[in-house]
Protein backbone atom coordinates (compact mmCIF):
# COMPACT_ATOMS: atom_id res chain seq x y z
CA UNK A 1 0.00 0.00 0.00
CA UNK A 2 2.79 2.43 0.84
CA UNK A 3 4.56 1.62 -2.42
CA UNK A 4 1.42 2.43 -4.40
CA UNK A 5 1.00 5.79 -2.67
CA UNK A 6 4.64 6.67 -3.29
CA UNK A 7 4.38 5.71 -6.97
CA UNK A 8 1.24 7.82 -7.37
CA UNK A 9 2.94 10.80 -5.78
CA UNK A 10 5.95 10.53 -8.07
CA UNK A 11 3.76 10.14 -11.15
CA UNK A 12 1.67 13.18 -10.25
CA UNK A 13 4.78 15.30 -9.71
CA UNK A 14 6.24 14.18 -13.04
CA UNK A 15 3.01 15.01 -14.91
CA UNK A 16 2.75 18.38 -13.18
CA UNK A 17 6.31 19.28 -14.11
CA UNK A 18 5.87 18.20 -17.75
CA UNK A 19 2.75 20.32 -18.08
CA UNK A 20 4.47 23.43 -16.70
CA UNK A 21 3.03 23.20 -13.25
CA UNK A 22 4.74 24.03 -10.01
CA UNK A 23 4.95 27.22 -8.06
CA UNK A 24 8.64 28.02 -7.81
CA UNK A 25 9.05 31.71 -6.99
CA UNK A 26 12.26 31.83 -9.12
CA UNK A 27 10.51 30.99 -12.42
CA UNK A 28 10.10 33.78 -15.01
CA UNK A 29 7.79 33.76 -18.02
CA UNK A 30 9.46 33.19 -21.37
CA UNK A 31 9.32 36.24 -23.67
CA UNK A 32 9.82 36.58 -27.43
CA UNK A 33 10.85 39.58 -29.58
CA UNK A 34 8.81 39.94 -32.79
CA UNK A 35 10.85 39.94 -36.00
CA UNK A 36 10.15 42.93 -38.21
CA UNK A 37 11.31 43.76 -41.71
CA UNK A 38 12.41 47.39 -41.97
CA UNK A 39 10.27 49.36 -44.38
CA UNK A 40 12.11 50.43 -47.52
CA UNK A 41 13.17 54.07 -47.44
CA UNK A 42 11.50 56.16 -50.10
CA UNK A 43 13.86 58.30 -52.14
CA UNK A 44 13.99 61.96 -51.20
CA UNK A 45 11.82 64.28 -53.24
CA UNK A 46 14.55 66.94 -53.39
CA UNK A 47 18.31 66.39 -53.22
CA UNK A 48 21.49 68.44 -53.46
CA UNK A 49 24.40 67.62 -55.76
CA UNK A 50 27.96 68.87 -55.88
CA UNK A 51 29.25 69.60 -59.37
CA UNK A 52 32.93 70.01 -60.24
CA UNK A 53 33.90 71.19 -63.72
CA UNK A 54 37.55 70.43 -64.55
CA UNK A 55 39.27 71.59 -67.73
CA UNK A 56 41.93 69.70 -69.66
CA UNK A 57 42.34 72.31 -72.38
CA UNK A 58 46.13 72.53 -72.64
CA UNK A 59 48.61 72.96 -75.45
CA UNK A 60 49.79 69.41 -74.86
CA UNK A 61 46.31 67.99 -75.39
CA UNK A 62 45.13 70.42 -78.10
CA UNK A 63 48.26 71.61 -79.87
CA UNK A 64 46.67 72.54 -83.22
CA UNK A 65 46.37 76.35 -83.20
CA UNK A 66 46.09 76.43 -79.43
CA UNK A 67 45.20 80.04 -78.48
CA UNK A 68 46.39 82.23 -75.65
CA UNK A 69 44.14 83.36 -72.81
CA UNK A 70 42.02 80.21 -72.72
CA UNK A 71 39.10 80.12 -70.26
CA UNK A 72 35.47 79.07 -69.88
CA UNK A 73 32.58 81.46 -69.44
CA UNK A 74 30.25 81.42 -66.41
CA UNK A 75 28.13 78.28 -66.30
CA UNK A 76 24.41 78.66 -66.89
CA UNK A 77 21.82 75.92 -66.69
CA UNK A 78 18.87 74.42 -64.85
CA UNK A 79 17.26 71.29 -63.52
CA UNK A 80 14.13 70.54 -65.53
CA UNK A 81 11.64 68.02 -66.87
CA UNK A 82 11.37 66.64 -70.40
CA UNK A 83 9.87 69.90 -71.66
CA UNK A 84 12.49 72.19 -70.15
CA UNK A 85 15.67 71.72 -72.18
CA UNK A 86 17.67 74.73 -73.41
CA UNK A 87 19.08 73.29 -76.63
CA UNK A 88 18.86 70.29 -78.92
CA UNK A 89 21.53 68.91 -81.17
CA UNK A 90 20.65 69.23 -84.87
CA UNK A 91 18.28 72.13 -84.17
CA UNK A 92 18.99 75.88 -84.53
CA UNK A 93 20.23 77.47 -81.32
CA UNK A 94 18.11 79.94 -79.36
CA UNK A 95 19.29 83.57 -79.07
CA UNK A 96 20.40 82.82 -75.50
CA UNK A 97 22.58 79.89 -76.55
CA UNK A 98 24.05 81.94 -79.40
CA UNK A 99 24.97 84.85 -77.12
CA UNK A 100 26.49 82.48 -74.57
CA UNK A 101 28.50 80.59 -77.22
CA UNK A 102 29.79 83.72 -78.97
CA UNK A 103 30.43 86.12 -76.08
CA UNK A 104 29.92 84.25 -72.82
CA UNK A 105 26.96 86.50 -72.02
CA UNK A 106 24.26 84.84 -69.98
CA UNK A 107 21.49 87.42 -69.58
CA UNK A 108 19.44 86.31 -72.59
CA UNK A 109 19.78 82.63 -71.72
CA UNK A 110 18.75 83.34 -68.12
CA UNK A 111 15.64 85.09 -69.45
CA UNK A 112 14.87 82.00 -71.55
CA UNK A 113 15.29 79.82 -68.47
CA UNK A 114 12.95 82.14 -66.56
CA UNK A 115 10.33 81.54 -69.26
CA UNK A 116 10.85 77.79 -68.87
CA UNK A 117 10.33 78.11 -65.13
CA UNK A 118 7.21 80.22 -65.57
CA UNK A 119 5.83 77.49 -67.83
CA UNK A 120 6.33 74.97 -65.01
CA UNK A 121 9.18 72.98 -66.55
CA UNK A 122 12.02 73.91 -64.18
CA UNK A 123 12.53 74.87 -60.55
CA UNK A 124 16.26 75.58 -60.21
CA UNK A 125 18.53 78.03 -62.04
CA UNK A 126 22.27 77.34 -62.23
CA UNK A 127 24.22 80.59 -62.43
CA UNK A 128 27.85 80.05 -61.48
CA UNK A 129 31.35 81.27 -62.35
CA UNK A 130 33.39 79.63 -65.09
CA UNK A 131 36.99 78.45 -65.12
CA UNK A 132 39.26 81.46 -65.44
CA UNK A 133 42.57 81.58 -67.29
CA UNK A 134 45.14 79.60 -65.32
CA UNK A 135 42.57 77.81 -63.14
CA UNK A 136 41.89 74.10 -63.26
CA UNK A 137 38.34 73.68 -61.98
CA UNK A 138 35.27 75.19 -60.37
CA UNK A 139 32.89 73.57 -57.86
CA UNK A 140 29.37 74.44 -56.78
CA UNK A 141 26.12 72.81 -55.59
CA UNK A 142 22.66 72.65 -57.10
CA UNK A 143 19.27 71.12 -56.32
CA UNK A 144 17.23 68.57 -58.24
CA UNK A 145 13.79 67.10 -57.54
CA UNK A 146 11.78 64.13 -58.71
CA UNK A 147 9.56 66.48 -60.72
CA UNK A 148 12.62 68.11 -62.34
CA UNK A 149 15.33 65.40 -62.47
CA UNK A 150 17.17 66.43 -65.66
CA UNK A 151 20.32 68.55 -65.69
CA UNK A 152 21.44 70.89 -68.46
CA UNK A 153 24.38 73.27 -68.16
CA UNK A 154 26.51 75.15 -70.71
CA UNK A 155 29.75 77.14 -70.82
CA UNK A 156 31.46 78.96 -73.69
CA UNK A 157 34.96 77.97 -74.77
CA UNK A 158 37.00 81.16 -75.03
CA UNK A 159 38.41 82.24 -77.29
CA UNK A 160 36.33 80.56 -80.01
CA UNK A 161 33.89 81.57 -82.75
CA UNK A 162 30.75 80.01 -81.19
CA UNK A 163 31.87 76.84 -79.46
CA UNK A 164 30.73 75.58 -76.08
CA UNK A 165 30.66 72.58 -73.76
CA UNK A 166 27.48 71.23 -72.24
CA UNK A 167 25.58 68.62 -70.34
CA UNK A 168 22.28 68.19 -72.13
CA UNK A 169 19.28 66.74 -70.25
CA UNK A 170 21.22 64.30 -68.07
CA UNK A 171 18.83 62.23 -65.93
CA UNK A 172 19.74 62.17 -62.24
CA UNK A 173 16.78 60.01 -61.11
CA UNK A 174 16.50 56.54 -62.63
CA UNK A 175 14.51 53.47 -61.53
CA UNK A 176 13.26 55.33 -58.45
CA UNK A 177 16.85 55.99 -57.35
CA UNK A 178 19.02 59.10 -57.33
CA UNK A 179 22.34 58.84 -59.15
CA UNK A 180 25.04 58.82 -56.47
CA UNK A 181 27.94 59.92 -58.67
CA UNK A 182 28.76 60.28 -62.33
CA UNK A 183 31.59 61.63 -64.46
CA UNK A 184 30.75 63.13 -67.86
CA UNK A 185 33.49 63.74 -70.40
CA UNK A 186 32.61 66.94 -72.22
CA UNK A 187 32.46 67.28 -75.98
CA UNK A 188 32.65 70.56 -77.87
CA UNK A 189 29.51 71.85 -79.60
CA UNK A 190 29.34 74.28 -82.51
CA UNK A 191 26.38 76.64 -82.05
CA UNK A 192 26.03 77.15 -85.81
CA UNK A 193 25.96 80.94 -85.66
CA UNK A 194 29.58 81.76 -86.66
CA UNK A 195 31.65 80.24 -89.47
CA UNK A 196 35.09 80.82 -87.93
CA UNK A 197 37.41 77.83 -88.28
CA UNK A 198 39.92 78.32 -85.47
CA UNK A 199 39.78 79.24 -81.78
CA UNK A 200 41.02 82.76 -82.47
CA UNK A 201 39.08 83.40 -85.70
CA UNK A 202 37.40 86.77 -86.08
CA UNK A 203 33.63 87.15 -86.24
CA UNK A 204 32.10 85.61 -89.37
CA UNK A 205 28.34 85.31 -88.96
CA UNK A 206 26.68 82.27 -90.47
CA UNK A 207 23.61 83.34 -92.44
CA UNK A 208 21.29 81.57 -92.24
CA UNK A 209 22.24 79.97 -88.96
CA UNK A 210 22.97 76.26 -89.01
CA UNK A 211 21.86 73.63 -86.48
CA UNK A 212 23.91 72.84 -83.38
CA UNK A 213 26.41 70.05 -84.01
CA UNK A 214 29.40 68.46 -82.35
CA UNK A 215 32.50 70.28 -83.54
CA UNK A 216 34.39 68.70 -86.43
CA UNK A 217 37.17 70.64 -88.12
CA UNK A 218 39.99 70.29 -90.59
CA UNK A 219 43.28 68.92 -89.28
CA UNK A 220 45.05 72.26 -89.92
CA UNK A 221 42.38 74.33 -88.16
CA UNK A 222 41.59 72.88 -84.74
CA UNK A 223 41.67 69.13 -85.47
CA UNK A 224 38.37 68.11 -83.86
CA UNK A 225 36.17 65.17 -84.78
CA UNK A 226 32.71 64.82 -83.24
CA UNK A 227 33.57 67.06 -80.32
CA UNK A 228 36.92 65.61 -79.25
CA UNK A 229 40.48 66.22 -80.43
CA UNK A 230 41.12 64.00 -83.44
CA UNK A 231 44.86 63.55 -82.97
CA UNK A 232 44.98 62.92 -79.22
CA UNK A 233 41.44 61.68 -78.54
CA UNK A 234 41.26 64.10 -75.62
CA UNK A 235 38.13 65.71 -74.20
CA UNK A 236 38.40 69.39 -73.41
CA UNK A 237 37.18 68.78 -69.86
CA UNK A 238 34.86 66.76 -67.66
CA UNK A 239 32.19 67.25 -65.04
CA UNK A 240 31.86 65.19 -61.87
CA UNK A 241 28.52 65.04 -60.06
CA UNK A 242 28.17 63.70 -56.51
CA UNK A 243 25.02 63.30 -54.42
CA UNK A 244 25.43 65.06 -51.07
CA UNK A 245 24.24 63.06 -48.05
Amino acid sequence: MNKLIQFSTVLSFTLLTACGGGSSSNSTPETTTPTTTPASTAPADTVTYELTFTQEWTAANFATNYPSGTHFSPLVGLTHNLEGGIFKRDEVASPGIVLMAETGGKSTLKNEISDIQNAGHSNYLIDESGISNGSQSVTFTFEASQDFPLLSVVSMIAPSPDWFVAINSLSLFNDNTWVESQTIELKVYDAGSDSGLRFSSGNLATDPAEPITLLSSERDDTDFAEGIHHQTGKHIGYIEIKLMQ
Side-chain angles (χ1 to χ4, degrees), residues 3-215:
K3 290 182 179 180
L4 181 59
I5 293 172
Q6 291 175 355
F7 177 76
S8 297
T9 302
V10 171
L11 180 61
S12 298
F13 179 79
T14 303
L15 291 173
L16 188 62
T17 303
C19 293
S23 59
S24 171
S25 60
N26 294 328
S27 64
T28 55
E30 190 175 332
T31 60
T32 59
T33 302
T35 301
T36 59
T37 302
S40 59
T41 303
D45 180 66
T46 301
V47 296
T48 300
Y49 279 93
E50 179 184 81
L51 184 153
T52 299
F53 173 24
T54 302
Q55 63 94 4
E56 294 191 322
W57 190 13
T58 64
N61 293 337
F62 301 87
T64 312
N65 292 302
Y66 181 79
S68 61
T70 59
H71 62 282
F72 293 85
S73 73
L75 287 97
V76 183
L78 71 168
T79 52
H80 59 93
N81 60 22
L82 289 173
E83 304 300 321
I86 51 177
F87 79 93
K88 291 182 179 180
R89 185 177 167 185
D90 299 324
E91 292 188 7
V92 174
S94 70
I97 290 292
V98 169
L99 184 66
M100 175 279 304
E102 290 191 1
T103 71
K106 56 185 180 179
S107 58
T108 302
L109 183 54
K110 286 173 62 177
N111 288 338
E112 292 173 358
I113 291 173
S114 179
D115 290 340
I116 292 171
Q117 292 177 325
N118 290 336
H121 301 310
S122 169
N123 71 334
Y124 193 89
L125 167 69
I126 294 172
D127 182 11
E128 301 289 342
S129 60
I131 302 176
S132 60
N133 184 23
S135 297
Q136 187 68 22
S137 65
V138 61
T139 298
F140 58 87
T141 61
F142 68 92
E143 292 182 359
S145 69
Q146 291 188 33
D147 289 333
F148 306 102
L150 305 180
L151 170 66
S152 293
V153 62
V154 295
S155 177
M156 174 194 69
I157 297 169
S160 75
D162 60 341
W163 303 337
F164 65 101
V165 293
I167 290 179
N168 186 19
S169 299
L170 174 70
S171 179
L172 300 173
F173 190 71
N174 303 306
D175 299 324
N176 206 40
T177 303
W178 289 106
V179 172
E180 290 192 2
S181 63
Q182 189 165 351
T183 299
I184 303 96
E185 293 184 307
L186 299 173
K187 294 184 177 182
V188 178
Y189 287 89
D190 183 335
S193 60
D194 192 298
S195 296
L197 301 176
R198 299 182 177 184
F199 291 111
S200 55
S201 293
N203 291 332
L204 183 60
T206 303
D207 189 16
E210 296 178 351
I212 297 171
T213 61
L214 289 174
L215 177 62

